Amino acid sequence: MTKETGNREYIEIAVQDIQLLTADQAWHYNVIPKEVRADTIIFYGEENTSTDQLVDELEMIFGKEVNISPLPKQILYDSLSRYYRRSNKDSELTDKQQTSFIEKSDDFVLRLIEEANEIGSSDIHIEKYESKCRVRYRVDGKLVEKYIVSNEEYPSIVNKLKIMGNMDIAEKRLPQDGRISFESNETKFDIRVSVLPTLFGEKVVMRLLSKDATDIDILNLGFSQNQLASYLEGVKRTSGIVLISGPTGSGKTTTLYATLKELNNEKTNIITIEDPIEYTLPGINQVQLKESIGLTFAGALRSFLRQDPDIIMLGEIRDVETAKMAIRAALTGHLVLSTIHTNSAWGTVSRLIDMGVPSYLISGTLNITAAQRLVRLLCDNCKQKVDIEIEQLPQSFKMPYEVHSVYEPVGCEACFYTGYAGRKALYEIIPVDEEFSELIKAESFNVNAKIKEKKIERLMDNAFDLLANGSTSIEEVYYLLMSTN
């Protein structure tokens, strides 16, 4: 069955059939699966080409009768591009290399991790349901189904991951957490593994953690010029608290690491407590949270104060005890950086007050409160301009200025047919000056007028600018709008 995206036509293939071939095999033989039967496999192949040798080789690999169904070259190529990412290595494999790859492909777990790392996936989800098991990758913040796994194979995959993560393979009733140090060829990174018992079996989620922080640069995160100036002024003070808010997966930790990299020098003692340690930064003392033995954020912070620190980074302020310890550290002359889960920059103030932190202490220690989100950017190769009418938009979607046309996602080989390529961080930075400090003391949460008066850029202002200049879509901006209300 053919489908169209933009001006391209491709064959629709079921997930379980896609995984019959590796990307190297699909491109090497220029075939895609059409139908899998008990004793026969039918592939689509390029029309008007000889298939005798192709059939012989495929029958030798799969041990079944193989038939080739002809397909126009362009449709075949577009289908290959959609379903099989081309390897950076030479796609022409020798017989020896082909045999070696087939043998290695039996090790499904290693293949999953390597592939996820290659395509820039942040998480791998392995899930068990009543009639099937599936594998999904999170790419640019969205989950994409990639593989179907048989019920018979699933337990061995989970057990292998438990062994690799130093977990108890006999324990299937309780959640477990582990960590894998993965090394393949010249690639080396850590993986945080979480196993959760569900109705039909254990679900595994793996978070891929990059060890290399050399590419993180505060100048490239997404701050506007005014925001960067305000932010750097706040983080370069000798004491106080800098808080970054936003939901899980919004890039808060990356912003913190970029900040630490900016502040790191031989004259400064920096200590962090993290869960997990996502990057290693030379010259910074990093501690892994271990709540099972009592090493909590609050407990670690008490010990940190006896380590003569200049700067302390807490992975997250989760509870009142951690919040009060962070305030205490700031009052005693330390700079504290941390994250907190709120919907807006000013929401951090109300969150701290709700936790029981006195407002006069917050006003005296808070340097910067920031909110952050990640917005997917449209693929420049395939995005398509469309005319819109304001009346067609949702009622809650209020454009700050008139826009008659926007761009929408299409999908092409360059963006793996998602329509998007990469993400951009959007920020809302509120420097807590004397006026904002007085509002905090008064526990005033309606600060919109003051923010507007000081011309502070809001999250949605930045998002609408991206929409107007064709960098993102209405769907992305609307999703952001809903998450900030």
Side-chain angles (χ1 to χ4, degrees), residues 97-236:
Q97 288 173 319
Q98 183 66 41
T99 304
S100 173
F101 191 88
I102 293 165
E103 289 170 358
K104 287 181 183 177
S105 69
D106 291 336
D107 200 338
F108 185 60
V109 170
L110 299 183
R111 177 175 154 194
L112 280 183
I113 296 171
E114 287 175 347
E115 185 178 44
N117 184 55
E118 281 180 11
I119 66 174
S121 171
S122 61
D123 301 86
I124 305 171
H125 290 239
I126 307 175
E127 302 160 311
K128 176 79 168 65
Y129 298 98
E130 184 175 13
S131 58
K132 71 171 185 177
C133 314
R134 68 177 178 180
V135 177
R136 294 189 291 172
Y137 292 155
R138 188 175 292 280
V139 182
D140 287 339
K142 302 295 182 181
L143 285 168
V144 179
E145 188 171 328
K146 185 67 178 175
Y147 295 104
I148 300 294
V149 179
S150 70
N151 287 336
E152 292 74 26
E153 293 173 322
Y154 191 82
S156 64
I157 292 172
V158 174
N159 286 339
K160 171 142 193 169
L161 287 168
K162 283 184 175 180
I163 291 168
M164 292 172 69
N166 294 314
M167 290 178 271
D168 183 1
I169 62 171
E171 179 56 75
K172 301 181 186 297
R173 301 166 300 168
L174 297 173
Q176 295 189 72
D177 294 307
R179 195 178 183 94
I180 298 170
S181 291
F182 186 80
E183 189 169 355
S184 175
N185 300 325
E186 297 178 359
T187 305
K188 188 175 182 181
F189 55 91
D190 285 347
I191 303 169
R192 184 181 65 184
V193 186
S194 172
V195 179
L196 179 71
T198 65
L199 179 61
F200 297 108
E202 293 174 290
K203 172 177 177 174
V204 182
V205 175
M206 293 183 279
R207 166 66 59 88
L208 278 61
L209 309 172
S210 173
K211 285 191 169 184
D212 185 13
T214 57
D215 292 335
I216 299 176
D217 191 331
I218 200 165
L219 299 177
N220 300 328
L221 292 182
F223 290 110
S224 69
Q225 192 171 352
N226 290 336
Q227 287 177 332
L228 183 61
S230 297
Y231 184 74
L232 289 177
E233 184 179 341
V235 301
K236 289 188 175 179

Side-chain angles (χ1 to χ4, degrees), residues 228-266:
L228 183 61
S230 297
Y231 184 74
L232 289 177
E233 184 179 341
V235 301
K236 289 188 175 179
R237 295 184 193 175
T238 56
S239 64
I241 298 179
V242 173
L243 288 178
I244 302 174
S245 68
T248 301
S250 60
K252 302 185 299 295
T253 304
T254 300
T255 300
L256 284 181
Y257 277 116
T259 306
L260 291 177
K261 191 176 174 184
E262 182 73 16
L263 299 174
N264 188 21
N265 59 64
E266 60 183 17

Side-chain angles (χ1 to χ4, degrees), residues 71-82:
L71 198 66
K73 183 176 181 179
Q74 190 58 50
I75 297 178
L76 177 64
Y77 180 81
D78 287 343
S79 301
L80 280 167
S81 300
R82 170 175 284 272

Side-chain angles (χ1 to χ4, degrees), residues 315-377:
E316 184 184 345
I317 292 180
R318 296 176 177 172
D319 51 51
V320 62
E321 186 181 7
T322 306
K324 288 182 176 178
M325 286 298 300
I327 293 287
R328 176 184 164 189
L331 286 171
T332 53
H334 305 90
L335 179 66
V336 180
L337 311 174
S338 191
T339 69
I340 192 167
H341 286 289
T342 61
N343 283 339
S344 65
W346 196 253
T348 60
V349 176
S350 57
R351 177 81 175 116
L352 289 172
I353 292 173
D354 289 343
M355 283 181 170
V357 180
S359 57
Y360 68 90
L361 289 181
I362 301 171
S363 68
T365 55
L366 190 60
N367 296 349
I368 289 282
T369 176
Q372 178 173 345
R373 295 291 190 281
L374 290 177
V375 172
R376 291 192 296 170
L377 300 177

